[in-house]
Amino acid sequence: MLPDSLIAILPELNKAFLETVYMVGISLVIAVLLGLPLGFLLFVTDKGLFLQNGFIKKVVGFVVNMVRSIPFIILLVALLPLTKLLTGTTIGPTAASVSLSVAGIPFFARMVETALREIDKGVIEASVSVGASPWMIIKDVLLPEAKPAVIQAVTITTISLVAYSAMAGIVGGGGIGDLAIRFGYYRYDNTVMITTVVVLICLVQLIQYTGDIFARVVDKR
């Protein structure tokens, strides 16, 4: 038998879950679309690679490290003016997606760079020696070779965004974190708090399990 307090918030819990999926989904798409090329840029401009460029490497690396060095809760507050400009509001899941995206892009970019570093340099050197263009090397060599690791990077980034989305509830971002704070913390309702924790654990486990399956499917090694 479910506790009365839990039954009372089931509609709120369902809404909060959908809000979490919504804001994480938006920010993940943006993080992948912008973070993937950024990660490739960090890799191919490194010393000894076919598009070596120390200036670009340092500038892009500095920006990525700068954003990643800011704790998310501080980044969330610092980006409120930008959030207001882009979405017209500073509360709700759409507004929270702005900060989540900004945090997700450099995180995913570094994950992609790490994935690319696992590729055997001999494969890249062989592609360069046969006269392959930089675009061909990226499209036909780097991306296929790094695909399993990139999928794992997407999985880890998604899980991190779920954790970040819970913090967004502090400033009214909506989602499960907001529900846990309003009903579990402010009202001292341990049942609600435990339920939200269980939901988050189940969500993360599902994401990890799905990511592992996809990574194994595309791994041809």
Side-chain angles (χ1 to χ4, degrees):
M1 193 70 179
L2 294 174
D4 292 338
S5 60
L6 182 56
I7 294 174
I9 68 153
L10 279 179
E12 288 281 348
L13 181 60
N14 181 60
K15 178 185 176 185
F17 179 80
L18 293 176
E19 286 177 345
T20 295
V21 172
Y22 170 76
M23 71 174 88
V24 169
I26 291 177
S27 54
L28 178 64
V29 169
I30 296 174
V32 171
L33 289 178
L34 298 181
L36 185 64
L38 197 61
F40 272 89
L41 184 63
L42 285 168
F43 177 72
V44 300
T45 56
D46 202 3
K47 185 177 180 180
L49 271 298
F50 53 91
L51 289 179
Q52 177 179 333
N53 189 310
F55 177 75
I56 292 178
K57 171 72 175 181
K58 289 179 181 178
V59 171
V60 176
F62 173 79
V63 173
V64 167
N65 291 338
M66 180 181 66
V67 177
R68 289 192 63 198
S69 66
I70 305 173
F72 179 70
I73 188 62
I74 297 176
L75 185 68
L76 189 66
V77 175
L79 290 176
L80 286 179
L82 177 62
T83 301
K84 177 73 173 179
L85 179 65
L86 294 177
T87 66
T89 182
T90 57
I91 60 174
T94 302
S97 299
V98 175
S99 299
L100 286 171
S101 299
V102 172
I105 291 169
F107 181 86
F108 183 66
R110 282 300 187 192
M111 294 291 293
V112 170
E113 182 189 14
T114 301
L116 293 171
R117 290 189 183 281
E118 296 176 2
I119 299 174
D120 185 357
K121 289 290 182 67
V123 176
I124 302 174
E125 291 170 357
S127 302
V128 174
S129 66
V130 297
S133 67
W135 170 244
M136 289 177 61
I137 296 174
I138 292 172
K139 179 174 65 73
D140 299 327
V141 178
L142 296 182
L143 189 56
E145 287 288 327
K147 194 179 295 182
V150 170
I151 290 177
Q152 289 288 9
V154 172
T155 303
I156 295 172
T157 302
T158 306
I159 292 172
S160 297
L161 290 174
V162 170
Y164 290 158
S165 72
M167 282 187 273
I170 296 175
V171 293
I176 296 176
D178 179 55
L179 184 71
I181 292 169
R182 287 190 294 115
F183 288 87
Y185 179 70
Y186 289 146
R187 300 185 184 182
Y188 302 101
D189 192 329
N190 291 330
T191 301
V192 174
M193 183 66 76
I194 293 172
T195 301
T196 55
V197 170
V198 170
V199 169
L200 287 172
I201 290 174
C202 292
L203 179 59
V204 168
Q205 292 295 329
L206 177 62
I207 293 169
Q208 186 66 62
Y209 178 73
T210 304
D212 289 343
I213 290 177
F214 276 108
R216 285 196 296 268
V217 168
V218 302
D219 192 351
K220 305 301 181 182
R221 292 172 293 182

